[in-house]
Amino acid sequence: MRARLRAGDAAAFGRLFDEHARTVYRHAVRVTADWSTAEDVVSLTFHEAWRLRARLRPDGDSVLPWLLGIATNVLRNTSRAARRHQAALARLPLRDTVPDFSDEVVERLRDAEQLRAAAVALGRLRRREREVFTLCVWSGLDYAAAAEALGVPVGTVRSRLSRARVRLRALAETELRNARQSAPMRRETTP
């Protein structure tokens, strides 16, 4: 296994990842107490392992100590970068007032609700209508380019897009209405 890893065998490296990624992840979670950072550490560890594969000693039982050594160095670097970031933030001047983000949060929640409704509605369109809609509206292709991409006449793209817009508007409104009705009632309190 060590010889295959040192030679850059991708299958052996995949097996190494399958066998040890969870162990490296658990180690990183315990050190950082942060799941997201631990995921980054796993990614960086295996990236570094690939880069440093020629340094893997040809003898030995397990490659886990080598991997955890790399993970330890990655954790050191991650910690150092976090300290530098915090120090840079500490040098910034303090703001006298903290901005009120409540309106922005409410707007983002509303946007997320509308986006979910649109995604559900888009999923309910016929495949051909959905394809034309995503190519023309989301990807910005003109009718001719969408027709070329789909192998259909331009007129077909126009009619499918027209039908898709009408159906999508109705489906999204229905889905949004249903989502709002099924959402728990929020009680507003006054201080």
Side-chain angles (χ1 to χ4, degrees):
M1 176 71 158
R2 285 174 178 259
R4 289 175 57 205
L5 288 170
R6 288 171 54 91
D9 183 337
F13 200 78
R15 185 171 159 217
L16 176 75
F17 182 85
D18 291 341
E19 290 177 2
H20 298 295
R22 285 189 179 190
T23 303
V24 173
Y25 176 76
R26 284 192 301 267
H27 174 69
V29 166
R30 289 179 184 126
V31 172
T32 64
D34 184 320
W35 295 312
S36 179
T37 302
E39 289 173 356
D40 292 342
V41 167
V42 170
S43 176
L44 290 168
T45 297
F46 281 93
H47 176 77
E48 283 297 296
W50 177 260
R51 193 176 68 77
L52 300 172
R53 66 188 179 276
R55 294 185 188 174
L56 177 63
R57 289 194 326 226
D59 59 333
D61 295 332
S62 172
V63 295
L64 185 59
W66 177 68
L67 276 175
L68 290 178
I70 292 171
T72 300
N73 286 332
V74 167
L75 284 162
R76 250 186 242 131
N77 292 339
T78 302
S79 176
R80 189 178 309 118
R83 281 193 310 271
R84 287 179 182 156
H85 180 75
Q86 288 300 322
L89 289 177
R91 289 189 299 269
L92 292 176
L94 292 177
R95 287 184 145 176
D96 292 338
T97 60
V98 176
D100 182 8
F101 295 108
S102 60
D103 290 337
E104 184 179 334
V105 169
V106 168
E107 190 62 34
R108 284 187 182 198
L109 289 173
R110 188 176 300 120
D111 290 347
E113 184 179 69
Q114 290 173 347
L115 187 57
R116 275 191 301 276
V120 169
L122 187 64
R124 291 187 179 148
L125 287 179
R126 293 181 189 98
R127 179 184 52 83
R128 293 176 176 179
E129 292 172 351
R130 184 174 49 249
E131 289 171 349
V132 167
F133 183 84
T134 56
L135 287 173
C136 291
V137 176
W138 285 354
S139 295
L141 294 184
D142 61 21
Y143 295 135
E148 181 181 337
L150 296 172
V152 298
V154 173
T156 302
V157 169
R158 289 178 190 267
S159 61
R160 285 181 186 172
L161 184 58
S162 177
R163 281 193 310 272
R165 284 182 168 148
V166 170
R167 287 196 66 222
L168 188 59
R169 188 174 295 116
L171 288 168
E173 287 172 1
T174 301
E175 185 60 35
L176 194 55
R177 196 174 326 109
N178 291 341
R180 287 180 179 155
Q181 288 174 353
S182 66
M185 296 293 289
R186 295 187 185 119
R187 249 182 50 195
E188 292 189 24
T189 59
T190 55

